[in-house]
Amino acid sequence: MVMAMANHLSDGGDNPSLPGDSKTNGESHRETAMNGSAHDGFEAFNSLVKTDRYGFLGGNQYTNPEDEKRLPQEKLRKRETKWLDMFVNWDKWMSKRFKKVRERCRKGIPPSLRAKAWQYLSGSFFIAEQNQGLFQSYLSAPGDPKCIDDIHKDLDRQFPQHEMFLSKGGVGQEALFEVLKAYSLHRPEEGYCQAQAPIAALLLMHMPAEQAFWCLVAICDKYLMGYYSPGLEAIQLDGDILFGLLKKTSPSLHKHMRKQHIEPIMYMTEWFMCVYTRTLSWTIVLRLWDQFLCEGVKVMFRVGLVLVRVTLEDQLDQCPSFYETLEKLRMKQMPPELQDESFLFTESLRLSVTERDMQREHQKQVSRRKAAREAAEREKAEKAAGAQGSTVKQSKNKKKS
Amino acid sequence: MSYAYLFKYIIIGDTGVGKSCLLLQFTDKRFQPVHDLTIGVEFGARMITIDGKQIKLQIWDTAGQESFRSITRSYYRGAAGALLVYDITRRDTFNHLTTWLEDARQHSNSNMVIMLIGNKSDLEARREVKKEEGEAFAREHGLIFMETSAKTAANVEEAFINTAKEIYQKIQDGVFDINNEANGIKIGPQHSPTNQGLNVGGSGGNQGGNCC
């Protein structure tokens, strides 16, 4: 059932006709019967709502059919053939011709092959093969009651504007529960973090629950290490790195944000923890993910640097306090540049930040945090020693008196 | 639109108690039963009037899940008011109040006004926490208390406005140092004659109505 859903969501250039398809205006979007919960009654069940080609009814992710650009059929078929060829000799391509794979990911993976490509790029396809039966065993296990409770509470709060997730207890929400529950059992020390849910939902829009689960595991293990661990140290570190890099790419914006005491976690937490799934229109999200799974977290940094620039550049006069600045950064109104789906990626590759810069900044921030932690510990120890000293003095004084 | 004061609020409490819905009801006067969950922090703002003075409330709505606690802590700094929310239909959200309160007291300034809110008062049939228990907790810890419903809007205005009244009173009593922005209070351009005409606070006011 989920697969069927995933298939029709990943249509490429040609739009398969569905029952209830509205062809009158020649547009690509469909009309879908809203699957309301029982108490919504017959009326809601029958109401017809227009979705975009990805199944969204609205929200930041919605793609306006009028703004959509589609590849010509012929080009798309050519790309598909290339990808199919790569799948046959995947290891060879990754080890010997990685640059070519990267180039093809940057151009965008053909929608019909995206699910498979993501699982190959992340390696989850191979992990799943080695762990057959494990996912099913997680499903039949009871699970940690606290995690299960938390997951249940969040099921109808993931992309509520997407046709797959809008109905309570529907296939989408059910699959989401399975993936998140399985993960909480797979990594009990991490349990369930709310920011994982949008990622699981994105994966479920493309593949069945078991595949989505292994893909999530690969992402958490190999791309976003520590992002969802209690304490959220990793995301705070990456926030500092992003801000450090911003000094290089946009010194005036860096200065402005510094002056207004804007901390990176105030705007980049959602960007990074959900890998932009809740931030950008879906066409851009998918292309970003094609690159992210191929190249890793540096894609998130590059995109983040461009987003800060696009949202704030030439806008500082409208940002007298940090509140206005944050409003801009949160992109309640999408900057017009982002209507062009390749703008973000072209710009992100033109940034004057090299991989070495990123590594250097990473090292710098790691050392900085370490020093800060040590200083805090020292201070704590000194305080404790001081307190002990004073109690010793006090007791001596008492003895004297 | 210019204002006399700006107060910064923070909304805290367990996940799913209705923090974002309270904010939306207060800023937009609507209830959205289905919405994306909050990851990190969301913001809202609205203008209110107290004692004939325009006061801008700037509200930070936080993620409730425990793993986000370390991030939420950095938002306490510079808050003049906090709404600490629990769900009257879920006993565990009430039981966690002590931890939330400890966190809030430890990371905020000591004068921060805290309003305890028992939300979802419309769900009387599913009530697990008696109103008296909320009142007792508030009394014991020196908080203001109210039961609200983000769904029906019952007491939502009052909760936000009463908190502001308390802060305003503290300013009148000289408890807050209003020149120190770390206290979560900012004097608006209305207040200082030299700044008149600059309209510093009005740049966000294009979103219609009294929301800015």
Side-chain angles (χ1 to χ4, degrees):
Chain A
M1 189 79 184
V2 177
M3 196 59 203
M5 183 82 80
N7 275 343
H8 83 241
L9 291 178
S10 58
D11 70 273
D14 46 353
N15 190 37
S17 285
L18 286 173
D21 214 351
S22 159
K23 295 243 166 186
T24 45
N25 50 10
E27 280 173 3
S28 60
H29 60 208
R30 301 183 300 271
E31 291 186 342
T32 308
M34 234 170 114
N35 226 346
S37 53
H39 64 83
D40 287 338
F42 193 63
E43 218 171 289
F45 187 78
N46 266 344
S47 69
L48 290 168
V49 181
K50 277 184 181 169
T51 67
D52 69 3
R53 67 190 280 224
Y54 304 108
F56 282 100
L57 298 146
N60 259 3
Q61 297 82 11
Y62 184 77
T63 312
N64 190 345
E66 281 156 30
D67 299 337
E68 246 184 304
K69 271 188 213 134
R70 296 242 182 155
L71 278 182
Q73 277 302 318
E74 219 170 290
K75 204 167 182 181
L76 195 66
R77 296 287 167 256
K78 258 189 195 159
R79 282 190 188 176
E80 283 173 348
T81 314
K82 285 179 188 168
W83 273 91
L84 287 170
D85 177 50
M86 289 202 293
F87 288 149
V88 179
N89 288 306
W90 185 254
D91 285 346
K92 229 182 203 167
W93 277 92
M94 286 301 271
S95 55
K96 300 231 164 73
R97 301 193 63 194
F98 177 72
K99 277 195 175 157
K100 194 76 195 167
V101 180
R102 189 178 71 184
E103 185 195 308
R104 288 178 180 169
C105 288
R106 284 180 181 178
K107 278 183 179 166
I109 300 171
S112 59
L113 299 173
R114 190 166 260 137
K116 189 169 182 181
W118 283 3
Q119 293 177 71
Y120 270 52
L121 286 165
S122 68
S124 72
F125 182 85
F126 312 99
I127 310 172
E129 272 190 336
Q130 291 156 9
N131 289 284
Q132 279 179 23
L134 195 54
F135 178 70
Q136 288 306 325
S137 74
Y138 288 142
L139 293 192
S140 45
D144 172 55
K146 172 86 176 58
C147 280
I148 301 291
D149 191 39
D150 274 1
I151 295 168
H152 268 301
K153 262 179 283 188
D154 288 349
L155 291 179
D156 58 357
R157 298 197 281 172
Q158 308 305 328
F159 300 119
Q161 306 223 52
H162 189 276
E163 60 178 355
M164 193 170 160
F165 297 101
L166 54 77
S167 56
K168 229 182 167 88
V171 275
Q173 291 193 17
E174 206 175 293
L176 188 61
F177 175 75
E178 290 181 356
V179 172
L180 297 171
K181 178 195 166 188
Y183 188 87
S184 74
L185 281 155
H186 188 67
R187 294 272 179 263
E189 69 286 0
E190 279 182 23
Y192 161 65
C193 174
Q194 290 185 316
Q196 288 173 317
I199 292 189
L202 161 100
L203 296 170
L204 282 168
M205 289 177 204
H206 294 87
M207 54 190 92
E210 185 165 2
Q211 293 173 20
F213 165 70
W214 288 112
C215 210
L216 178 68
V217 171
I219 290 164
C220 297
D221 282 358
K222 294 199 281 186
Y223 295 73
L224 308 175
M225 278 94 72
Y227 261 38
Y228 308 114
S229 308
L232 305 186
E233 277 277 325
I235 191 77
Q236 296 179 53
L237 171 66
D238 280 1
D240 292 341
I241 297 171
L242 182 74
F243 194 57
L245 293 171
L246 192 69
K247 192 174 182 178
K248 193 168 159 55
T249 57
S250 310
S252 60
L253 301 181
H254 181 270
K255 197 173 153 196
H256 172 85
M257 288 160 88
R258 199 185 189 113
K259 212 168 84 190
Q260 295 187 341
H261 304 289
I262 294 175
E263 289 178 40
I265 50 162
M266 292 173 186
Y267 56 91
M268 57 72 75
T269 306
E270 191 182 280
W271 291 359
F272 276 48
M273 286 190 90
C274 307
V275 195
Y276 296 100
T277 48
R278 307 209 320 171
T279 313
L280 302 162
S281 81
W282 210 245
T283 319
I284 298 179
V285 168
L286 295 178
R287 287 203 47 194
L288 191 153
W289 268 72
D290 292 344
Q291 297 174 48
F292 166 67
L293 290 176
C294 178
E295 298 174 56
V297 286
K298 50 179 175 279
V299 175
M300 296 207 292
F301 283 98
R302 277 195 228 115
V303 165
L305 292 169
V306 178
L307 283 183
V308 173
R309 207 187 70 203
V310 172
T311 46
L312 293 184
E313 205 166 52
D314 305 324
Q315 307 276 327
L316 294 187
D317 54 330
Q318 291 173 42
C319 301
S321 80
F322 79 94
Y323 186 76
E324 290 83 11
T325 309
L326 280 177
E327 282 280 281
K328 294 256 181 231
L329 284 166
R330 301 181 66 76
M331 294 190 285
K332 290 280 177 237
Q333 276 162 340
M334 205 56 89
E337 292 93 330
L338 296 184
Q339 272 170 13
D340 173 3
E341 70 165 71
S342 47
F343 170 84
L344 195 56
F345 306 117
T346 320
E347 289 302 304
S348 75
L349 292 173
R350 276 172 50 189
L351 286 171
S352 58
V353 170
T354 62
E355 227 158 283
R356 261 192 79 205
D357 291 330
M358 290 196 193
Q359 279 163 2
R360 217 177 289 144
E361 192 60 40
H362 180 98
Q363 273 315 321
K364 189 175 147 190
Q365 295 299 341
V366 167
S367 321
R368 208 182 57 93
R369 285 184 88 83
K370 196 173 158 220
R373 208 171 33 238
E374 283 169 1
E377 272 163 19
R378 244 195 331 272
E379 199 182 323
K380 211 171 153 189
E382 273 165 19
K383 253 189 200 165
Q388 217 171 23
S390 68
T391 44
V392 171
K393 255 186 211 165
Q394 271 174 6
S395 58
K396 272 184 186 168
N397 286 344
K398 264 185 194 171
K399 270 182 193 167
K400 267 184 195 169
S401 64
Chain B
M1 208 191 315
S2 57
Y3 52 84
Y5 293 108
L6 181 145
F7 297 165
K8 177 183 160 185
Y9 281 15
I10 174 167
I11 313 182
I12 51 174
D14 274 8
T15 174
V17 296
K19 297 181 292 295
S20 303
C21 288
L22 281 168
L23 174 62
L24 192 70
Q25 183 58 262
F26 180 65
T27 56
D28 289 30
K29 297 194 193 322
R30 66 194 168 95
F31 177 65
Q32 202 177 355
V34 184
H35 61 89
D36 272 321
L37 89 152
T38 310
I39 290 172
V41 67
E42 293 284 335
F43 303 90
R46 206 187 110 178
M47 205 72 97
I48 59 169
T49 312
I50 290 175
D51 200 14
K53 294 209 165 60
Q54 292 277 75
I55 291 171
K56 183 173 170 176
L57 299 184
Q58 182 191 91
I59 306 145
W60 296 45
D61 170 27
T62 64
Q65 203 189 24
E66 212 168 322
S67 46
F68 286 92
R69 213 57 84 79
S70 60
I71 287 185
T72 309
R73 278 182 198 131
S74 62
Y75 306 140
Y76 285 115
R77 210 186 48 221
L83 307 188
L84 170 55
V85 189
Y86 68 94
D87 174 355
I88 65 150
T89 72
R90 274 167 48 214
R91 166 69 55 183
D92 57 323
T93 65
F94 183 75
N95 293 343
H96 294 153
L97 288 177
T98 324
T99 337
W100 279 111
L101 202 56
E102 271 169 21
D103 235 33
R105 291 252 157 91
Q106 195 184 337
H107 296 96
S108 64
N109 74 75
S110 53
N111 289 316
M112 182 169 79
V113 174
I114 303 176
M115 161 77 84
L116 178 66
I117 292 181
N119 191 35
K120 307 196 186 177
S121 64
D122 54 294
L123 301 175
E124 195 53 52
R126 283 164 49 194
R127 181 188 282 276
E128 281 183 12
V129 185
K130 282 195 213 119
K131 192 175 177 188
E132 293 74 29
E133 293 177 83
E135 281 167 349
F137 186 94
R139 224 179 6 254
E140 194 186 324
H141 295 94
L143 320 173
I144 342 171
F145 173 68
M146 264 189 162
E147 281 198 346
T148 62
S149 165
K151 188 173 181 180
T152 66
N155 271 345
V156 174
E157 288 274 314
E158 290 81 352
F160 282 87
I161 290 170
N162 289 358
T163 309
K165 280 184 183 159
E166 189 93 1
I167 297 167
Y168 185 75
Q169 192 54 49
K170 281 195 172 183
I171 296 174
Q172 304 300 307
D173 296 345
V175 177
F176 270 122
D177 173 12
I178 47 173
N179 293 313
N180 182 356
E181 268 192 49
N183 282 328
I185 297 164
K186 200 170 137 184
I187 308 175
Q190 232 177 44
H191 239 63
S192 51
T194 46
N195 272 349
Q196 261 173 16
L198 277 176
N199 196 19
V200 178
S203 55
N206 52 356
Q207 287 166 19
N210 49 4
C211 180
C212 50

